[in-house]
Amino acid sequence: KFTVTRQNEATTALDPHNRQEKTPKTQWEQKKSWGEPQKTLPAEMISRNNFSVWNILKKCIGMELSKIAMPVVFNEPLSFLQRISEYMEHTHLIHRACSLSDSIDRMQVVAAFAVSAVASQWERTGKPFNPLLGETYELTREDEGYRLISEQVSHHPPISAFHAQSLKQEFEFHGSIYPKLKFWGKSVEAEPKGTMTLELLKHKEAYTWTNPLCCVHNIILGKLWIEQYGTVEIMNHSTGEKCVLTFKPCGMFGKELHKVEGYIQDKSKKKRRVIYGKWTECMYSVDPKVYDSYKKSEKKSSGDAKKLRQVRKRVRDDADEMPEVQETVTVIPGSALLWRITPRPAHSAQMYNFTSFALTLNELEPGMERLLAPTDCRLRPDIRAMENGDIDSASTEKERLEEKQRAARRERSKDEEEWSTRWFQLGTNPHTGAEDWLYTGGYFDRNYSDCPNIY
């Protein structure tokens, strides 16, 4: 069940060590039961066939795209803050990590969680709405045992901060993301700068990592498709153990499309486990010796493949054709399954390729509106209009909100007033020593009297 919990301010206590806000449920909450989460959107996806992104981007090659206004038709009806909350789709992996006694076992499940956090981006070629400064999003999932709050803490550069906490004080997961977008002729590359921090409170462990690069191909011509690539290093700051994952670029013939491979090493740098799979499908773990012997036998059987590749060189003049998706992951005997993606609903292609989880994120249950902060994404009129299939209203509202934001910035500049964030403060990540936006607590007290009027 999806709930937004109303808290009794008089009885709220904030634990100074882990910021777990604890409040007994009100009588209203104990009686209230939400219905089933929605399984479809109010309207199907708007066609983009009559729009050319080339007209907008042709003067922007190599430039930072965060300041370029894109037509609303290229968006999906979610804010970037809601997109961030999709990291939590596979929270069951965090719960599993909490339950394991061995630190290497915990690390491999945390590695699977880090991969699963980007899995929802598969085929999601719509651009999420840029959050307005001060915009927030909250998500409480009692069935999954967590609640999340996020806030847009900076506009230039755009920075989104989030903090998720276990309802039973088992974990905290938080980070701040500064997405840098660049246009490279036929593709747009997104670099999600910022650090993810997962704290397993029972084990007194903290893991940190950064997300891989994401590239959307065929912005101008051909079918849009996505790949993730780059190296992700997950560090256990308590034990010194590290997991190094390589998200592989697809390569000339797409043999490596979606593949992720890596290993876990202990503090003495000895390899303990090999991790492999696809970020769109599943991840496995296997003993390094078993993996090495399997790879040796595989090389012998594919000796002629290299010669074949040298003969079949292909030139891509018009579009970066998406390689055909290869057969599912070949499972090495002796491997353990760490994670498998949740299948998408049958009508996903008509719903912006949303997962079942994403379909629920903008849902506004009866009675929820009066409990939400007035800055919550669900109350944002341009996103709501797009979700309802009204592209003209969505475009008009988007322009109005952006102009309102500019006017507010001019007023602050005239009064020499600095923007003040509401729920997060710029500080130092205690595990990395780097600058980070940290949750200050208090959101779930439900005192929204000093929230900005951004809509």
Side-chain angles (χ1 to χ4, degrees), residues 362-405:
N362 211 39
E363 188 174 9
L364 202 53
E365 296 264 13
M368 187 188 281
E369 192 168 342
R370 61 192 175 87
L371 299 175
L372 290 170
T375 50
D376 195 279
C377 306
R378 295 175 185 85
L379 308 177
R380 195 172 150 168
D382 52 353
I383 294 178
R384 185 64 61 189
M386 187 175 192
E387 188 180 64
N388 290 330
D390 188 346
I391 190 70
D392 293 334
S393 293
S395 186
T396 303
E397 282 297 322
K398 180 172 176 280
E399 288 174 21
R400 181 185 69 80
L401 293 174
E402 287 169 351
E403 179 49 43
K404 182 172 182 174
Q405 183 171 237

Side-chain angles (χ1 to χ4, degrees), residues 136-149:
T136 61
Y137 183 67
E138 68 164 287
L139 179 65
T140 299
R141 285 288 301 265
E142 292 195 346
D143 58 332
E144 293 285 347
Y146 72 85
R147 62 188 179 191
L148 171 145
I149 172 63

